[in-house]
Amino acid sequence: MRLEPITWDRLGDLLAERLLGLEPADGSPWPRVAFDGAPASRPGDLAQRVSEALRVRGRPSLVVGTEGFLRPASLRLEYGRQDVEAYYNGWHDTGALWREVFDPLGPDGDGRVLPDLWDPVTDRATRSPYVQLPPGGALLLHGPFLLRHWFPLDLSVHLVLTPGALRRRTPETEHWTLPAFERYEEEADPFGAADVLVRADDPRHPAWNG
């Protein structure tokens, strides 16, 4: 697949324009978008760019990061601090994401979303207030492994890193997580499953499939 060079600002604008005309397939009034990628690819930065581009176009959005839906440390680290299987399958509270984010934005939802649930630094509940997302407002969810949970997504963006770039851009203390991303590529095929691909090997010069 051919990927074309683009700037991050231009990419944010073009994705925002695409969202303006996006109609959820299930009849929900809230488009739901995933920015899927390893932390080293910084999917949250792109989600924020798209959010700002939507704002200046008069369209509300809500950026939600899966790092706000981690399980408590007693569950995440039950098998040690560097257990790859737990990182891949047990760190994120996908049940809470369904309950607090996706269900309220479904066809019969009320648009009342909890933006985060758990603070991984304090290992306590965040106690954040619910946010009312008006009809037409877009959910911009970012984090790793998003395309393996059957979330009701209307658009998926996968930020791609080559194995070498992923290793270079991942802090050495987190290199133990790299096998989980190899497994994700093999099992979920995000390269083939995503609607939009963004090559982010060089953080200064992204490319995408348009």
Side-chain angles (χ1 to χ4, degrees), residues 74-160:
S74 60
L75 298 177
R76 295 198 314 275
L77 309 179
E78 181 179 2
Y79 301 102
R81 293 184 175 274
Q82 296 187 358
D83 187 274
V84 177
E85 177 69 24
Y87 178 68
Y88 187 62
N89 281 313
W91 273 40
H92 295 93
D93 192 342
T94 54
L97 280 168
W98 276 100
R99 182 178 67 252
E100 303 291 358
V101 179
F102 284 103
D103 286 349
L105 300 180
D108 299 318
D110 59 7
R112 191 168 175 264
V113 177
L114 188 65
D116 52 57
L117 180 65
W118 200 259
D119 186 333
V121 176
T122 64
D123 198 36
R124 295 181 178 180
T126 59
R127 302 187 184 277
S128 295
Y130 283 85
V131 175
Q132 187 70 46
L133 189 62
L139 168 68
L140 308 177
L141 178 70
H142 63 86
F145 314 134
L146 294 181
L147 304 184
R148 60 184 290 258
H149 298 300
W150 301 101
F151 290 140
L153 301 171
D154 302 298
L155 184 71
S156 56
V157 180
H158 177 59
L159 285 86
V160 183

